Amino acid sequence: MAGPDLDAVIVGSGPNGLAAAVALAQRGASVLVREGADEIGGGTRTAELTLPGFQHDVCSAVHPMGILSPFLRTLPLGEHGLEWLRPAASVAHPLDGEPAVMLRRSLDATAEGLGRDAAAWRRLVGPLLGRPHDLLADVLAPLRVPDHPTAMARFGLRAVFSANRLARIVFREARARALLAGCAGHSILPLTQPLTAALGVLFAVTAHVEDWPVPRGGSRAIGRALASYLRSLGGRIETGQPVASLAELPASRVVLFDTSPAELVRIAGDALPAGYRRRLGRYRYGPGVFKLDWALDGPIPWRDPACLDASTVHVGGSLEEICASERDMWRGRLAERPYLILCQQSQVDPGRAPAGQHTGYAYCHVPPGSPADRTHAIEAQVERFAPGFRDRILARHAMGPADFEAYNSSYVGGAITGGVADAFQLFTRPVARLDPYSTPNPRLFLCSAATPPGGGVHGMCGYWAARSAGRRLGLAG
Ligand SMILES: Cc1cc2nc3c(=O)[nH]c(=O)nc-3n(C[C@H](O)[C@H](O)[C@H](O)COP(=O)(O)OP(=O)(O)OC[C@H]3O[C@@H](n4cnc5c(N)ncnc54)[C@H](O)[C@@H]3O)c2cc1C
């Protein structure tokens, strides 16, 4: 009897869905990606959100994990239109009344800016820079025996701490403490929680390996390059087709979901056992974000102009202030002076705005589903380090948690990285299971950021899910 025509259907075309499709197609599988939105890309889309000629990244903007991804870096994405543009520095961290702290590719240049903590920064990060790609291959993976145990052990010794504790143990002064806190703040966790040092140290390592780049033309270039390469391998993509039930999908041997666990439950229904659905129902999505995109009539007037070198600016002041901001949002309160992740894409890619003008965005973390308008708090924080900033704003576009969830069902309650990545859920996402990508139904797999290694544009959730589904399909390699 003839089997289904397709080996795999992938629901959702975010970076993980496309990476999964590519990884399967590379091994000879016939694949179809079905995307609900009219445009592919999920969290990697770019649009004129404010004024004509201003290209804004709706979600992801800066991509250290994209350029360093153990899977994406093996793909010929340059031949399919992806061009990484590198800033002069990865991160700027402005402080009141003193020069900004700069995280640059050069370990020496970065250390020089850290005063009495120069040697401590070298000791913290230096030992991890010997074979960074080995480290990333193990970190951006599900829980398993590491391929490079020495590198992982070195990393683990630093990662187990809370960011707050590690910063206080290792550094004596405010500058280095703030720099580490700014990097760790991407975890969207209170920085007093164990393991929050992990992301801080990891992001610092990536910045010494690659300048945190933006794609020419916007983050949509990543999805487009993946899609173009997928098509060259024979894969097909259909857009504008939201999937509501398994019955709507063409026959295939496996289905991979680049969706939230909640969406998987909604679509698969009884095809998954009730117990597993209940466990998925207990998945924690975590805080949301409130984001502003700006069209600007000039560069951001930072008090320290060195900040213009960086693709990303961590706005939030000292370690203590950033800890307070992230503690507040975790406890369901709005921080008075929120920690911001601010990206200035057009500084690196001038084509994003008309000549002489600029784009930029900043977001802060807020309690899940918070309806609060954080425009004033965000712009006040920028103004604090860049007096006159508000005068440069030609137009702004705001998105809160409800807008994000309406834009993409994967952002439940406005949570942008696929779910809480704390010590309890980092490797047990979406549930504790030997193979977290598989489900009790042998045909169905999850490949989104709600699986290890979690949020970010690196495609590694998709890659590992494709490995798991590939075993089911009996694919070689
Ligand atoms: C404001 C913001 C800023 C960010 N900044 C960065 C950054 O600078 N760098 C970085 O690396 N990461 C960043 N991220 C995170 C990153 O965008 C996500 O972690 C990443 O996109 C997750 O990829 P994914 O493939 O798992 O899911 P997604 O990118 O969310 O894609 C899921 C796709 O599935 C589709 N879908 C869902 N349900 C269905 C259905 N029923 N039928 C059909 N299709 C469906 C959706 O439309 C979507 O296209 C940011 C995210 C946000 C929101």
Side-chain angles (χ1 to χ4, degrees), residues 11-18 34-37 39-45 57-66 186 203 241-244 257-260 263 266-267 289 291 312 341 343 361 363 404 407-411 414-418 447-450 454-458 461:
V11 177
S13 68
N16 284 313
L18 291 171
R34 193 163 271 190
E35 167 58 50
E39 198 187 334
I40 60 153
T44 58
R45 294 194 196 115
D57 292 318
V58 184
C59 303
S60 79
V62 176
H63 297 93
M65 297 304 178
H186 289 251
F203 271 142
Q241 306 222 20
V243 177
F257 289 86
D258 183 20
T259 68
S260 68
E263 191 75 345
R266 196 176 73 85
I267 296 170
V289 300
K291 169 176 177 269
T312 302
I341 294 172
C343 301
Y361 84 36
Y363 62 89
F404 275 109
Y407 177 73
N408 179 347
S409 65
S410 297
Y411 300 144
I416 64 169
T417 53
C447 69
S448 70
V457 176
H458 42 61
C461 311

Side-chain angles (χ1 to χ4, degrees), residues 134-429:
D134 290 353
L135 176 66
L136 284 161
D138 276 330
V139 172
L140 297 176
L143 196 59
R144 61 187 185 136
V145 178
D147 290 338
H148 310 283
T150 313
M152 272 303 269
R154 279 200 192 110
F155 177 66
L157 284 174
R158 295 154 171 83
V160 291
F161 294 99
S162 74
N164 179 49
R165 190 153 166 69
L166 186 68
R168 287 171 193 281
I169 295 172
V170 172
F171 301 125
R172 285 181 284 179
E173 295 187 345
R175 294 176 65 75
R177 287 179 176 181
L179 182 59
L180 186 65
C183 291
H186 289 251
S187 63
I188 323 187
L189 292 168
L191 299 190
T192 45
Q193 275 201 12
L195 281 183
T196 45
L199 204 57
V201 172
L202 190 66
F203 271 142
V205 167
T206 62
H208 288 305
V209 182
E210 270 292 357
D211 305 300
W212 290 6
V214 304
R216 186 186 292 282
S219 67
R220 72 175 159 211
I222 300 172
R224 287 182 176 182
L226 280 165
S228 165
Y229 178 49
L230 175 63
R231 290 192 183 102
S232 77
L233 296 170
R236 287 192 293 131
I237 303 174
E238 295 173 353
T239 55
Q241 306 222 20
V243 177
S245 77
L246 288 178
E248 294 171 13
L249 296 174
S252 67
R253 294 170 66 201
V254 296
V255 183
L256 285 76
F257 289 86
D258 183 20
T259 68
S260 68
E263 191 75 345
L264 166 63
V265 168
R266 196 176 73 85
I267 296 170
D270 290 348
L272 291 170
Y276 182 73
R277 280 184 277 147
R278 263 197 308 278
R279 290 170 75 198
L280 289 183
R282 289 195 290 270
Y283 186 74
R284 292 174 299 132
Y285 293 91
V289 300
F290 185 94
K291 169 176 177 269
L292 290 176
D293 280 278
W294 297 290
L296 301 167
D297 78 352
I300 299 179
W302 298 108
R303 198 173 270 125
D304 182 347
C307 292
L308 290 175
D309 285 357
S311 53
T312 302
V313 185
H314 294 149
V315 180
S318 66
L319 166 74
E320 292 75 13
E321 280 181 272
I322 296 175
C323 285
S325 161
E326 300 311 272
R327 182 199 59 217
D328 282 352
M329 66 81 191
W330 191 256
R331 291 186 180 166
R333 295 196 297 251
L334 297 174
E336 201 179 315
R337 300 220 282 187
Y339 154 78
L340 312 181
I341 294 172
L342 183 149
C343 301
Q344 26 189 22
Q345 295 90 328
S346 62
Q347 285 300 133
V348 195
D349 182 9
R352 304 283 186 98
Q357 299 182 314
H358 283 273
T359 61
Y361 84 36
Y363 62 89
C364 66
H365 304 142
V366 294
S370 168
D373 182 346
R374 303 256 63 205
T375 303
H376 178 75
I378 289 177
E379 291 181 355
Q381 279 286 66
V382 183
E383 189 79 28
R384 170 179 163 197
F385 299 105
F389 166 69
R390 282 200 184 97
D391 300 335
R392 297 257 159 109
I393 300 173
L394 297 171
R396 68 168 71 73
H397 177 268
M399 285 176 86
D403 305 307
F404 275 109
E405 191 167 342
Y407 177 73
N408 179 347
S409 65
S410 297
Y411 300 144
V412 178
I416 64 169
T417 53
V420 174
D422 61 7
F424 304 105
Q425 202 171 252
L426 183 57
F427 295 110
T428 60
R429 51 207 292 128

